[in-house]
């Protein structure tokens, strides 16, 4: 990496790290570009150069959260022998991640904000597509290993995503044990519908 590119990446990381702290403390709506300017010492122009706008900066942080989640999950996934165990492990990991991640509240505000630029909607749709693809691959492995009935895998992947998304919202009002129990119960119900029938 050449020096100019390295400096660009360092500036981008500095802005992202400061913005992450501000969004975690103040929430998405209450954090302004001016706040980020003060926290980083970078000009507004520099922030816009790297991220285009506040939405673009927050999306970058969400994508970074996804990368972090994927990396941690890949390490955890090896601990589970079957796809069924992986689904329970994923549900538990999602529950704990949503309860403890500093951007959870700001992410809720961001997604509930109805006014989004078309390119932001497109990036959100790409993220959602990634979640569906992840679910589809996991469920397909369960079918391939004869754990689950052969079914509409894409439909099941969407249902699983919807189930986790709904639990994500409801679990905010629960303590840790209640949230984990709710995620386990949801996975019990989901797996009951797709488990391989014994003849």
């Amino acid at each position: 990496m050449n020096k100019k590119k390295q400096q660009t990446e360092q500036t981008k990381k500095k802005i992202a790290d400061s913005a992450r702290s501000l969004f975690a403390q103040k929430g998405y709506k209450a954090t302004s570009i001016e706040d980020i300017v003060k926290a980083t010492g970078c000009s507004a122009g520099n922030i816009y150069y790297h991220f285009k706008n506040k939405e673009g900066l927050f999306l970058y942080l969400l994508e970074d959260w996804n990368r972090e989640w994927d990396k941690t999950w890949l390490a955890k996934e090896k601990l589970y022998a079957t796809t069924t165990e992986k689904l329970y492990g994923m549900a538990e990991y999602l529950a704990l991640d949503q309860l403890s991640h500093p951007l959870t509240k700001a992410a809720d505000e961001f997604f509930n904000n109805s006014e989004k630029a078309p390119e932001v909607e497109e990036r959100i749709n790409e993220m959602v597509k990634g979640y569906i693809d992840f679910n589809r691959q996991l469920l397909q492995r369960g079918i391939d290993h004869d754990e689950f009935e052969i079914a509409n895998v894409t439909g099941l992947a969407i249902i699983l995503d919807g189930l986790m998304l709904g639990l994500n919202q409801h679990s905010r009002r629960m303590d840790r044990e209640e949230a984990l129990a709710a995620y386990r119960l949801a996975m019990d119900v989901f797996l009951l519908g797709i488990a391989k029938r014994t003849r």
Side-chain angles (χ1 to χ4, degrees):
M1 189 185 292
N2 67 36
K3 194 171 181 181
K4 187 172 180 356
K5 193 167 183 183
Q6 194 175 3
Q7 285 175 329
T8 299
E9 286 305 310
Q10 286 172 343
T11 302
K12 196 169 183 177
K13 184 178 180 340
K14 177 183 171 183
I15 294 167
D17 289 347
S18 293
R20 185 183 293 107
S21 296
L22 286 167
F23 286 129
Q25 290 165 22
K26 299 176 73 168
Y28 177 75
K29 289 178 190 167
T31 301
S32 67
I33 290 293
E34 290 74 31
D35 294 330
I36 299 164
V37 165
K38 284 179 197 161
T40 60
C42 292
S43 68
N46 204 346
I47 294 166
Y48 291 129
Y49 170 77
H50 290 289
F51 299 103
K52 195 170 180 186
N53 53 31
K54 185 170 102 167
E55 285 179 323
L57 174 51
F58 196 75
L59 272 170
Y60 175 86
L61 295 175
L62 289 179
E63 288 161 352
D64 194 47
W65 181 3
N66 282 339
R67 285 188 292 274
E68 175 191 309
W69 193 96
D70 288 346
K71 186 178 168 188
T72 308
W73 170 249
L74 281 173
K76 280 178 167 293
E77 190 181 22
K78 297 171 190 153
L79 304 173
Y80 306 107
T82 66
T83 305
T84 298
E85 289 172 10
K86 287 177 186 187
L87 283 164
Y88 278 109
M90 180 192 76
E92 183 175 301
Y93 178 40
L94 279 169
L96 295 175
D97 186 53
Q98 291 297 329
L99 288 170
S100 64
H101 199 282
L103 288 180
T104 296
K105 184 177 175 286
D108 284 348
E109 284 181 53
F110 175 76
F111 285 117
N112 291 330
N113 180 8
S114 58
E115 294 175 30
K116 291 183 185 72
E119 67 270 10
V120 171
E121 289 288 358
E122 194 175 310
R123 281 175 66 188
I124 290 171
N125 290 339
E126 282 301 308
M127 272 196 285
V128 172
K129 184 180 176 296
Y131 304 151
I132 304 299
D133 288 344
F134 173 89
N135 290 347
R136 185 189 300 114
Q137 289 168 19
L138 190 56
L139 293 166
Q140 187 62 56
R141 283 200 298 271
I143 291 168
D144 294 346
H145 293 136
D146 216 28
E147 289 179 65
F148 308 145
E149 292 286 345
I150 294 172
N152 174 348
V153 183
T154 300
L156 289 176
I158 291 167
I159 290 166
L160 180 57
D161 187 62
L163 184 61
M164 294 298 108
L165 186 63
L167 278 169
N168 173 12
Q169 295 301 309
H170 289 287
S171 64
R172 304 296 163 74
R173 293 177 290 281
M174 301 175 184
D175 65 31
R176 187 175 188 273
E177 289 310 310
E178 279 180 300
L180 285 169
Y183 273 82
R184 281 189 209 108
L185 178 59
M187 204 49 73
D188 287 343
V189 173
F190 180 78
L191 287 166
L192 186 65
I194 64 171
K196 191 81 175 177
R197 311 284 185 261
T198 50
R199 306 276 182 244

